[in-house]
Every structure is written in C-alpha cells, then in structure tokens.
Amino acid sequence: MSGGAFGTEVTAAGVASSVLQVALTVAGAPLLVGLMRQIRARMEGRAGAGVGQPWRDLRKLMRKKPLAPDGTGPLFRTAPLVQVATALMVAAAIPFVSVRTGLGGAADLIAVVALLTLGTAALALAGLDTGTAFGGMGASREMTITALAEPTVLMATFALSTRVGSTNLPAIVDASLKDAGRVISPVSVLAAFALAAVVLAEAGRLPVDNPSTHLELTMVHEAMVLEYSGPDLALVELAASMRLAVLLGLWSALFLPWGTATSTGVPAVAGATVLFTLKVGVLGAVLAAGEVFMAKLRLFRVPELLAGSFLLAVLAVAASFFL
Amino acid sequence: MKALLSKIRRVGRVAEPAPRRPAEAPMRPELAGSAQVRCVDAGSCNGCEIEIGQAFGPLYDADRYGVRLVASPRHADVLAVTGPVTRNMATALRRTYNATPEPRLVVAVGDCAIDCGEFAGGPGVHGPVDSVVPVDLAVPGCPPTPDAIVAALRRVTGR
C-alpha cells in the first residue's frame, strides 16, 4: 500500500536524515523520561534527581555483570535486542525531521504498527519464559491491552490515509504539510484523540499502566521485566523510553506536522530537528503534568477506555467519507 | 483537579535543602550517581521501614541523589536489610543476595540488623545480618533517622 510515486525513492540524503532521527531518538529518549520524572518530582514538592538520571542509570546498568536467571532460554536473552531493534527501525521510518526518510516505501504506517507490536510480543514471550507468576501475569495483561489498542491504531490510520490514498507515512505528513486544512478537520481531531489514548496504552503510561508502580495488583510492563538485570535491563529500559519517544513523535508527526522539513537541505533539517525536539519535549511535559492529576484505571476499566478510543477512530473513518 | 492544582502552587517545594555532598568517593565506582535499592525485611518490627519510607518521601527526597527503590533484587545494586534475621527469613535473604547482580552492596539498617538489638537471643532469631550475608555499610539507630539512612545511601552514589 505504499503510495506509488511519493516517498518510495531512497536517496543518500534521506538515509542521512533517518540516521539523524535514530541518533536523536537514542540520545534524547532517556532525557525525555528524565524530564518527565523531574516535572513530576517538582509538582510533588521534591527536588528531583535531574534530567540526566536515566542516562546515569543506563551507564550503571551497562557496567553490571550479566546474570541469567535459572531456566530462561534464548527467548529471554534476545527479547531486549528485538525491542531495541524494532524501536530503532520505527525511529528511522517515521518522518520526524524530514519527509524524505531513508526507508522509502517501507516507511509505512502499518509496518510501524507491526514493528511496535513485534517488540511488545517479544517482551511478553520473554515474560512467559521466566516461568514466574509475575512474568506470566504481566505478559497476559500486556497482550490484553495490545489486542485492544491495535485495532484503534489501524482504524485511526485508515481515517488519515484514505484522504491521501496511501499508508506511506511521509506521504501522509507531506500532504498535511501542503494543506493545513487536513490537520484541523473533524477527521483529524477524532483520530488525534483516538491515537492519544492508544499512545498512552502502548507506552505504558497512566491511566493504563503506571511506570513507577511495583504493586502486584497494578503492574503491567514492570511485571514482565522483573527478572532482567544488568545490561539486559539497560536495553529494556532504553527500549521502553525510545518507545515513548517514538509514539509521542508519531503523534506529533501526524497531528502537529508543522516544521517538518520537506527537503533534505541542511538548514531546513536543522530547524526541523530543533522544532521536533521541542514538540516531543512539550508533549512529554504535558503528559507528565497531566499524570499528577490522574490515578491508574482499574484493569477491567481499561477496555472501556480503549473501546472509547476505538469508537472515536471509527467515527474518524466514517467522517473521512462523509465530510 | 482545581483543588489539587492550587495545593501544588501553595505547598511549593517541601524537600529540605540538601546537606553537604559526601567527602568520600562512591564506595563502588560502578555505582557512582545511580543506585537502586531493594528493601529486605528480615524480621524487623517495621520501625525501620517507616524511617526508610520517610527517607524516600518528599521531605528527605533520597531520589535526588540518584537512589531509587525497586521491586526486584535483579534490578538492585543495594540491599537494605532491616531487623534481626529470623530463622524463616535466613534462606530468603541468602537467595535475594544471590539474585542481585554484582557489583552489589548490603546496607544493614538499624540496631537489630547490626547486632540483633532488642531481639538478641529470641527463640526465632537466627542472628544479625552479617551472619548470613556480608555487610558493607551499617546504619545504627533504633530506628535510625531518615537523615542517617539518606547519608548512608549518599555514600554509595557519591552525590
């Protein structure tokens, strides 16, 4: 379903901009998490550990001795690598700084969703592989949430892609850059709300999952990674923060596309890089501030939230045909 | 939400100003700037747990020195062990220690963890923490103040 003429050609400059996006995501994702923790700490009246703390944690974890729990197999060892690899691929595919990405026709919305799901599935299997009660429980909850979130992503995607006639991400972003009316249309607004709920669910944020909880009754993502240690845990944490960054980046690319470079000229890309960092930083800050006022939803209420967002996505698709 | 917002604005910052940075270098260079702590209650009366809770509360805010509480010994660098080790907890403590990846440190929090304190000679008591796992740092007190706990954890991270 890649959109024919646009975005299918792969140029050296496009590859360079994709490499830039990947480097930006790897370096910036832990800082984004640090910023969000810092904002939360300040609102709670704390001093906070500083924006660089996630990087200090990662450095420490990389220096620790690897430890493989008894009874775990290759699945457990490879899952963090799969998660990081899929997050890197997604970071290269979504047009964060320039619509000329280095992946051409592969920069497809459906491919992006599939890659993110592959990462989730790998970690859920690793959770099962540990054979512990928490691992299995976390995996089952994560797959429940994913199964409910995926249809919404695809529906919202169709609403955005029917107008362009392509699911190619650069093509969608390019079309909305050329015609701002697309972004401020009812279709786009409905899809934006639908995708926002899904971003929260997929990134494991409140009210779906609490990233800082360690309570048995509420853990989802944390329960799956309880057995990881040292460098493996560093990869899991890096992947989790990159996931949050690319999901916020995807949302901003689809609904706040302004500033994304349409060429690969150095000044345009440099400006777009600064603007993109700013956009994701502001989105993260808003999310962190909003989370202070929110409690986690009871697990059995989560399907209601996700069903609501699916309804919005269906309305967006309907609206894209009628309006 | 409006009430919470006005409370956030009214209360402002409650964290007390940080005491001076520890003069010594971090105990293990690998753990400089970041240490995850797993609490193990080996038979404590829960007095020390309340003080540890305070140390990580907004007032003392141990988080700002790069210290964080974690749920799994696999994620931990530091085991904070409280209470005299009871017979029922000796094996659990040994297993927790073995599940913690190296480099790891054990902090004995409270008089009971150091020398069984009030409970020395009790029928269910196995012995102090260092009779089961090697102790790197001791925080005396019954219970130790949050200040003392934070000071000990700052020696680990060196911040």
Side-chain angles (χ1 to χ4, degrees):
Chain A
M1 285 180 87
S2 69
F6 189 88
T8 43
E9 73 279 15
V10 177
T11 60
V15 173
S17 96
S18 275
V19 170
L20 172 71
Q21 289 184 179
V22 170
L24 190 66
T25 310
V26 172
L31 296 178
L32 174 69
V33 172
L35 174 75
M36 292 175 69
R37 283 195 197 147
Q38 188 67 18
I39 287 171
R40 194 186 170 90
R42 280 293 158 88
M43 292 183 81
E44 285 175 343
R46 296 167 183 269
V51 175
Q53 188 58 34
W55 265 122
R56 280 191 283 273
D57 291 348
L58 289 176
R59 183 186 63 185
K60 190 263 321 272
L61 286 171
M62 291 309 278
R63 287 174 182 164
K64 294 203 83 172
K65 251 193 204 162
L67 191 83
D70 289 339
T72 53
L75 201 60
F76 181 79
R77 296 305 302 268
T78 49
L81 294 171
V82 173
Q83 249 219 334
V84 169
T86 53
L88 289 175
M89 276 295 287
V90 171
I94 305 173
F96 289 149
V97 299
S98 169
V99 295
R100 310 274 165 193
T101 62
L103 291 180
D108 193 279
L109 238 175
I110 293 175
V112 163
V113 173
L115 280 169
L116 286 173
T117 314
L118 179 64
T120 310
L123 204 62
L125 286 173
L128 286 177
D129 194 31
T130 59
T132 62
F134 281 136
M137 189 191 69
S140 117
R141 288 177 175 179
E142 181 85 349
M143 289 329 282
T144 309
I145 292 171
T146 306
L148 291 165
E150 282 327 301
T152 310
V153 184
L154 290 175
M155 270 297 170
T157 305
F158 291 143
L160 297 170
S161 58
T162 42
R163 301 192 137 192
V164 187
S166 160
T167 52
N168 188 279
L169 266 169
I172 294 173
V173 174
D174 191 54
S176 42
L177 276 173
K178 282 184 182 131
D179 178 11
R182 281 175 196 278
V183 185
I184 328 170
S185 68
V187 177
S188 202
V189 172
L190 287 168
F193 278 103
L195 264 184
V198 170
V199 165
L200 295 182
E202 291 275 296
R205 306 299 302 191
L206 285 169
V208 177
D209 185 12
N210 183 352
S212 57
T213 188
H214 292 120
L215 193 68
E216 298 90 328
L217 294 170
T218 61
M219 282 191 290
V220 181
H221 178 263
E222 288 297 316
M224 291 190 294
V225 304
L226 274 183
E227 290 292 321
Y228 278 108
S229 62
D232 285 337
L233 182 63
L235 287 179
V236 169
E237 294 207 334
L238 180 65
S241 59
M242 278 169 59
R243 222 178 142 81
L244 174 66
V246 297
L247 282 164
L248 289 179
L250 174 67
W251 196 88
S252 77
L254 289 174
F255 305 110
L256 302 167
W258 302 288
T260 309
T262 47
S263 65
T264 44
V266 173
V269 169
T273 308
V274 173
L275 212 64
F276 167 72
T277 316
L278 215 64
K279 276 191 279 190
V280 172
V282 169
L283 282 178
V286 169
L287 179 56
E291 281 182 339
V292 173
F293 299 93
M294 249 188 272
K296 189 186 167 298
L297 274 182
R298 208 152 58 90
L299 190 69
F300 295 113
R301 300 289 298 275
V302 170
E304 290 173 23
L305 173 79
L306 293 173
S309 78
F310 182 70
L311 183 68
L312 288 176
V314 171
L315 287 175
V317 171
S320 73
F321 282 106
F322 297 126
L323 294 176
Chain B
M1 181 170 169
K2 224 172 129 193
L4 188 55
L5 197 64
S6 69
K7 182 161 193 181
I8 287 172
R9 208 176 304 121
R10 200 171 59 243
V11 171
R13 184 159 150 170
V14 293
E16 289 184 344
R20 240 166 8 93
R21 233 181 137 93
E24 309 96 324
M27 293 181 67
R28 296 295 297 263
E30 295 93 335
L31 305 183
S34 160
Q36 261 79 306
V37 179
R38 173 70 197 160
C39 292
V40 183
D41 179 346
S44 145
C45 68
N46 269 359
C48 295
E49 271 69 27
I50 292 172
E51 303 301 322
I52 291 175
Q54 287 302 313
F56 285 88
L59 209 61
Y60 294 93
D61 194 19
D63 274 18
R64 72 178 120 169
Y65 310 116
V67 187
R68 203 151 52 89
L69 289 176
V70 292
S72 165
R74 303 254 188 235
H75 298 188
D77 313 300
V78 175
L79 294 180
V81 189
T82 55
V85 182
T86 55
R87 285 185 209 285
N88 289 337
M89 280 301 287
T91 312
L93 179 59
R94 209 172 286 121
R95 279 197 196 159
T96 307
Y97 182 74
N98 290 334
T100 312
E102 288 176 53
R104 61 194 163 196
L105 294 171
V106 176
V107 180
V109 179
D111 285 345
C112 299
I114 297 166
D115 58 7
C116 294
E118 201 66 34
F119 301 102
V125 173
H126 178 281
V129 173
D130 64 6
S131 70
V132 181
V133 293
V135 171
D136 299 283
L137 205 59
V139 188
C142 183
T145 60
D147 275 331
I149 297 169
V150 170
L153 293 173
R154 287 183 76 182
R155 281 202 54 201
V156 176
T157 62
R159 282 177 79 193

